[in-house]
Amino acid sequence: MVRRTISTSVVATFAALTAGAVLLAAAPSQTPLRELADAHEIAVGSAVGTGPLDNDAFYRSTLGREFSSVTAENAMKWKFVQPEPGPYDWSAADDLVSFAEQHDQRVYGHTLVWHQGSPQWLVDAVEAGEYTDEELRELLRTHITEQVRHFGTKVWAWDVVNEVFEDDGSLRPSIWLDALGPDYITDSFRWAHQANPEAKLFINDYNIEWIGAKSDALYDLVADLKSQGVPIHGVGFQTHRTNRELPADYQENLQRFADLDLDVAVTEMDVRIELPADDADLETQAEVYADAVQACLAVSRCVSYSVWGFSDKYSWIPSTFPGYGAGHLYDENDATKPAYHAVSDALS
Ligand code: XIL
């Protein structure tokens, strides 16, 4: 009898411990970011890489649980959807769209026109003088139309044109500017709108977080487009930062664009650190992330807050900015960083 009592209680204790452990492992104590963002009626998003989406179970479950919007890191760029002249290959982009459908996420389309996104065959043909300007214009029109139509209402917003300015505020030379002049921007918005009148159409750029030559030039352009009745609905602030502070006038800058009757969005946030990152770096990084969330929440036309990848494990930073890294919300071992908790607190 005694023995039986002991063994029963041992079993009971073991069962309780096991249940506790399972509970700890299975149920994150944190409220997911997307649930917190819902309360503010904004989306919280992440760029998504095709590789980890296909191969990493932790990545998939985190993406589904934490985020209410996804942006293809590369899979919707022209050179990926049409690597050779001829039929499009939508497979990787379609996989992301169906993941988003299964997880009740919005899809932010990135991007229709980008100087770095053109397929090599197109760049080579332009360099070889194979197209007249009119043919090139027709090629761009066809591309925008086919891509926007393919995704239809599954994509809620498009970065129609990406990074069209240089840092000094002049328009960036590109095959489009060279052949078609600045009107390629206006035309791109009109074509995208014709292909899906419901999509929100954005212009997206970096180094426009503060008020200065580049953001002023962008401001003048979008004000002009609005006054001409061009279908433009928003401005995307990429917000690739270092772990110094966010520019002090970030919110004021978002607000002046919102005051043009445009939506604004934080589209590609990351905060790179010069390696090795110490605890103080991670704390400053967290503040920069949180400050951007707060600025977005303070501007009623700020409709979404997206990060450019959520994990240090799959980051574009080290190869693009040698010596830098650790720019995201989760570390290389899938643990949440101070930045994750700061974003969570800012949304709470
Ligand atoms: C980057 C991707 O993260 C990389 O994987 C790719 O090699 C190059 O492009 N601004 C943008 C994004 O608008 O499309 C860029 O994405 C990062 C900077």
Side-chain angles (χ1 to χ4, degrees):
M1 197 57 202
V2 172
R3 257 170 80 186
R4 190 177 165 156
T5 308
I6 289 168
S7 76
T8 308
S9 81
V10 167
V11 168
T13 310
F14 180 73
L17 283 173
T18 316
V22 166
L23 206 70
L24 276 177
S29 51
Q30 289 279 333
T31 307
L33 300 180
R34 64 184 291 172
E35 208 174 305
L36 300 172
D38 278 351
H40 300 281
E41 296 182 346
I42 66 165
V44 62
S46 179
V48 180
T50 303
L53 186 69
D54 287 349
N55 300 314
D56 183 331
F58 175 83
Y59 184 93
R60 289 173 68 87
S61 65
T62 306
L63 180 66
R65 184 184 65 243
E66 298 290 336
F67 297 98
S68 53
S69 173
V70 292
T71 307
E73 182 171 3
N74 289 304
M76 289 191 188
K77 291 170 182 169
W78 192 347
K79 63 180 168 192
F80 287 92
V81 293
Q82 200 182 25
E84 302 297 335
Y88 280 80
D89 175 4
W90 303 114
S91 51
D94 285 347
D95 285 351
L96 177 60
V97 170
S98 55
F99 181 93
E101 283 177 327
Q102 285 156 23
H103 294 85
D104 191 23
Q105 293 166 318
R106 304 189 201 179
V107 179
Y108 190 99
H110 176 81
T111 171
L112 299 171
V113 187
W114 183 38
H115 64 287
Q116 280 186 40
S118 303
Q120 197 56 45
W121 59 264
L122 173 59
V123 176
D124 292 345
V126 171
E127 264 171 26
E130 286 175 26
Y131 297 113
T132 64
D133 293 349
E134 194 42 48
E135 283 169 341
L136 209 53
R137 186 170 185 274
E138 188 54 23
L139 208 85
L140 184 61
R141 191 186 68 75
T142 305
H143 169 65
I144 291 176
T145 305
E146 292 204 11
Q147 177 142 359
V148 173
R149 280 209 192 127
H150 173 79
F151 294 104
T153 52
K154 291 174 180 172
V155 164
W156 75 277
W158 280 104
D159 284 334
V160 176
V161 296
N162 190 35
E163 304 181 351
V164 299
F165 285 103
E166 300 270 37
D167 282 351
D168 66 3
S170 60
L171 283 177
R172 182 192 295 279
S174 68
I175 55 176
W176 311 116
L177 185 70
D178 296 349
L180 312 176
D183 279 355
Y184 85 89
I185 298 173
T186 316
D187 288 341
S188 296
F189 278 93
R190 293 213 162 104
W191 294 327
H193 186 66
Q194 275 161 17
N196 177 7
E198 285 176 43
K200 294 254 191 206
L201 304 182
F202 277 72
I203 184 167
N204 190 50
D205 217 322
Y206 66 94
N207 284 356
I208 54 161
E209 291 85 35
W210 63 94
I211 298 176
K214 190 173 188 178
S215 65
D216 283 350
L218 175 64
Y219 182 90
D220 291 345
L221 173 73
V222 296
D224 185 42
L225 294 177
K226 284 286 286 182
S227 72
Q228 289 179 56
V230 176
I232 177 169
H233 311 112
V235 177
F237 295 78
Q238 292 186 5
T239 321
H240 298 291
R241 305 299 308 160
T242 64
N243 67 323
R244 285 183 238 115
E245 68 282 332
L246 197 68
D249 53 3
Y250 187 68
Q251 181 184 321
E252 184 191 341
N253 193 33
L254 296 184
Q255 187 64 57
R256 72 171 171 152
F257 283 90
D259 290 343
L260 291 173
D261 188 22
L262 289 164
D263 287 338
V264 294
V266 180
T267 50
E268 305 187 9
M269 183 147 199
D270 50 32
V271 182
R272 62 185 177 274
I273 295 176
E274 199 169 349
L275 299 172
D278 62 21
D279 287 350
D281 293 328
L282 296 176
E283 289 303 328
T284 350
Q285 174 182 61
E287 281 168 31
V288 178
Y289 266 104
D291 288 348
V293 174
Q294 268 149 9
C296 178
L297 293 180
V299 175
S300 62
R301 295 294 298 264
C302 186
V303 292
S304 77
Y305 173 90
S306 290
V307 293
W308 203 245
F310 61 85
S311 171
D312 291 345
K313 213 157 68 169
Y314 307 106
S315 176
W316 75 299
I317 292 171
S319 58
T320 314
F321 303 97
Y324 287 82
H328 308 280
L329 305 178
Y330 288 72
D331 71 16
E332 306 237 352
N333 301 312
D334 295 337
T336 53
K337 291 163 61 182
Y340 172 93
H341 298 283
V343 169
S344 169
D345 289 349
L347 288 170
S348 295

